[in-house]
Amino acid sequence: MNRWKALIVLGTGQFLMVLDASVMNVSISQLVEDFDTEVTAIQGVITLYTLVMAAFMLTGGKLGDMFGRRRMFTVGLVIYGIGSGLTAIAPELWVLALGWSIIEGLGAALVLPALAALVAGAYHGRDRAVAYGVIGGLAGAGIAVGPLLGGWVTTYLTWRLVFAGEVVLVAAMLSLISWVPSGPAVTRRTRLDVGAVVLSAAGLALIVLAVLQSSSWGWLAPRNAPFTVLGFSPTLFVIALGGVLLALLVRLEHSREAAGKPVLIRIGLFGISGLRSGLVTLFNQNTILLGLFFVIPLYLQVVLGKDAFETGLKLLPVSVTMLIASMGGSVLLRVASPRTIVRIGFLVLLASIVWLLSTIEPQLDEASFAWAMAVMGLGMGMLASQLGNVVQSSVGEADRSEAGGLQYTAQNLGSSLGTALIGAILIGALAAAVSSAIADDPRISETVAQQAGVRIEAGLTFVPAGDVASALAETPVPPAEAAAIVEDYQDAQIAGLKVAVLAAGGIALVGLFCTGGLPARREPRTEAAPRPHGT
């Protein structure tokens, strides 16, 4: 039992980091009311949190190498706890942004890379596979349990209690920090590659910002964009600018490696097939997971009218089966390689998506939906049980913090893209379906259909059908035609949701074909890139 003490602390840290964001997402409406602001302002706070983590994750990993992983894990927890306390008592929106988005985001950027490296350092062989299975399962459980816990606390108590509870949890983790092995001693402290820090932070932040804002700005045709570029939405241009900065980062790091100078990230690590394939698969996994966890709550809350707590209950089967499958990853390694397990996981995930498509109807089939969620959790759990172990086992001890930074950067980018991309697909499919339905509906006059088409072109949102009916009641549209439009909108909602879920299935299919570099042996061997002198 003693050997699992470290996992109690590290697993709690992983659960806490994921739980935090999912709780905030279901508390948006209450936050709008409490701070007397708009939804866009709260979404901006959430976006800023993601940006801070994406921008400083690689730097957080490097600081773990420079000052010690357990030390940075501890410092990150302290910073995170301070941010949580400030968030719990925030009197104004800017204080919420400071406490949650900036301070907690910086704390998470220190905690997560160190956490990944500390797990790898504390466990070996099958114990490491078990540990990463638990970590992956707890990450998925946090995503699924967050809406349940956040919905209940927000509905019946106050969202502030969640963040106050985080302070207590952080204090408990700090009191048990001695359970975590300290990792390799820091024998020589190098200087931080400041130029690389700036390039990586700016490049990653620009990409994440553009992806997150794509649903508002538009991908090509500008919608609510703050500016345009040659008449187009700035989304792709901002992404391209971020890519240019990352390309400059690669050139800078190559030149510094060649000169024997310390670097933020060794580009040679990307030559390791297991690491490269593991990062790509992690990116795909989180794109699918967060995309589906954006679409499914919309179905449950907007179409079916469930509240946040009821939505959390419906998502509970995912959490349970994902945790079980993740913790069973080491058992699966006795009969199959990580590559085989991950591929089977993608196939199970695809099967669950097909099943889910059959359950998205105006009336919920409770049993069928629950089973589809349970199967989805199994597929996700099989992926989660292997990928963290694959990434960390692909590198040597000296590179674990860098690999941890890359690991959580890939996950964060996937999470951002999943929500933005699947959300954009959903809105696009909704607009196309409702436009077609209204144009072909004989109950709706040509004049009203043209007016509706103009409104749809100006921008459409995924709202309850009752809101559409209320909006139409304030227009001169005849009641019979208004009722027909509402009915067409309801049908289009189901069609749009199915297209979005199908898109997630397409990403899973792509992910299946990106697994060729994963270890094909039951026990993945350590494969480390040669370290140039001076790094």
Side-chain angles (χ1 to χ4, degrees):
M1 176 62 189
N2 285 341
R3 74 182 191 277
W4 299 114
K5 284 184 175 181
L7 190 60
I8 294 174
V9 178
L10 298 172
T12 302
Q14 174 68 81
F15 182 77
L16 181 63
M17 299 294 116
V18 177
L19 178 74
D20 189 77
S22 57
V23 167
M24 185 63 81
N25 282 329
V26 299
S27 304
I28 289 177
S29 58
Q30 189 61 49
L31 289 167
V32 168
E33 181 179 337
D34 289 354
F35 291 103
D36 190 23
T37 186
E38 299 178 350
V39 171
T40 53
I42 302 302
Q43 288 175 332
V45 171
I46 295 173
T47 299
L48 181 59
Y49 177 69
T50 307
L51 286 173
V52 170
M53 282 203 300
F56 294 101
M57 199 68 73
L58 292 178
T59 305
K62 191 62 178 180
L63 291 174
D65 284 338
M66 294 173 60
F67 298 99
R69 294 162 187 168
R70 190 174 72 178
R71 181 177 297 171
M72 283 300 99
F73 181 76
T74 304
V75 171
L77 283 178
V78 171
I79 294 173
Y80 194 88
I82 292 171
S84 296
L86 187 59
T87 302
I89 62 172
E92 303 287 345
L93 184 64
W94 72 267
V95 181
L96 178 76
L98 175 64
W100 191 70
S101 304
I102 298 176
I103 298 179
E104 283 195 44
L106 289 172
L110 290 175
V111 167
L112 291 172
L115 185 153
L118 287 168
V119 171
Y123 302 101
H124 305 278
R126 294 199 181 278
D127 282 354
R128 181 184 291 170
V130 171
Y132 273 111
V134 172
I135 292 294
L138 288 172
I143 293 172
V145 171
L148 178 64
L149 176 63
W152 186 85
V153 173
T154 300
T155 301
Y156 299 107
L157 299 170
T158 170
W159 57 269
R160 296 180 186 272
L161 280 179
V162 175
F163 295 95
E166 287 185 354
V167 177
V168 176
L169 196 57
V170 166
M173 293 169 63
L174 290 171
S175 70
L176 302 175
I177 200 67
S178 61
W179 288 4
V180 181
S182 58
V186 179
T187 57
R188 182 167 60 91
R189 189 165 297 169
T190 60
R191 295 179 61 185
L192 188 63
D193 184 358
V194 178
V197 169
V198 173
L199 287 174
S200 67
L204 290 170
L206 285 172
I207 291 172
V208 172
L209 174 65
V211 169
L212 288 172
Q213 294 297 111
S214 61
S215 58
S216 174
W217 295 353
W219 283 98
L220 288 175
R223 295 179 61 192
N224 298 317
F227 61 93
T228 60
V229 180
L230 302 175
F232 294 99
S233 165
T235 300
L236 295 181
F237 293 93
V238 174
I239 291 174
L241 178 58
V244 169
L245 294 180
L246 293 182
L248 291 175
L249 169 67
V250 171
R251 292 194 62 179
L252 174 65
E253 298 301 77
H254 268 310
S255 64
R256 290 181 67 88
E257 276 192 61
K261 297 179 180 180
V263 295
L264 177 66
I265 185 71
R266 289 197 305 122
I267 305 303
L269 290 175
F270 292 99
I272 302 172
S273 60
L275 175 66
R276 187 173 60 250
S277 189
L279 293 174
V280 171
T281 308
L282 273 169
F283 174 84
N284 287 332
Q285 177 198 13
N286 280 268
T287 301
I288 299 163
L289 182 61
L290 271 295
L292 290 174
F293 270 77
F294 173 77
V295 170
I296 295 171
L298 282 180
Y299 169 58
L300 294 172
Q301 294 182 347
V302 177
V303 176
L304 301 182
K306 307 290 185 184
D307 62 27
F309 182 59
E310 291 172 321
T311 299
L313 284 176
K314 299 300 180 190
L315 297 176
L316 198 55
V318 177
S319 178
V320 174
T321 55
M322 185 171 181
L323 185 59
I324 292 172
S326 296
M327 296 182 68
S330 63
V331 177
L332 295 174
L333 282 173
R334 297 175 184 174
V335 296
S337 67
R339 182 195 296 174
T340 300
I341 296 170
V342 169
R343 285 178 172 175
I344 294 174
F346 271 121
L347 291 174
V348 172
L349 187 56
L350 281 166
S352 73
I353 287 173
V354 172
W355 194 340
L356 180 62
L357 284 170
S358 69
T359 68
I360 297 179
E361 298 294 343
Q363 301 298 322
L364 180 66
D365 184 334
E366 301 270 355
S368 183
F369 182 83
W371 279 110
M373 292 292 97
V375 173
M376 182 186 297
L378 286 176
M380 285 294 180
M382 294 179 74
L383 300 180
S385 72
Q386 304 301 316
L387 295 177
N389 188 31
V390 165
V391 168
Q392 288 291 325
S393 297
S394 297
V395 301
E397 180 63 40
D399 295 315
R400 298 210 190 281
S401 293
E402 288 185 31
L406 289 170
Q407 175 182 336
Y408 283 101
T409 299
Q411 290 183 213
N412 193 56
L413 288 173
S415 300
S416 302
L417 183 61
T419 303
L421 180 61
I422 300 300
I425 291 172
L426 170 63
I427 296 301
L430 172 67
V434 74
S435 295
S436 177
I438 290 175
D440 296 338
D441 194 331
R443 298 172 296 176
I444 301 173
S445 65
E446 184 177 348
T447 300
V448 171
Q450 289 176 347
Q451 293 173 347
V454 171
R455 293 289 300 272
I456 292 169
E457 285 293 327
L460 192 67
T461 56
F462 200 94
V463 297
D467 290 0
V468 177
S470 298
L472 288 170
E474 299 176 1
T475 68
V477 175
E481 293 188 56
I485 290 175
V486 171
E487 184 179 326
D488 289 338
Y489 181 80
Q490 288 175 307
D491 293 340
Q493 281 184 315
I494 299 298
L497 286 166
K498 289 188 174 184
V499 170
V501 171
L502 191 62
I507 297 170
L509 189 60
V510 171
L512 180 63
F513 290 101
C514 293
T515 56
L518 297 177
R521 302 180 354 156
R522 295 183 190 176
E523 287 286 351
R525 61 187 177 88
T526 299
E527 178 189 355
R531 294 183 65 86
H533 177 70
T535 61

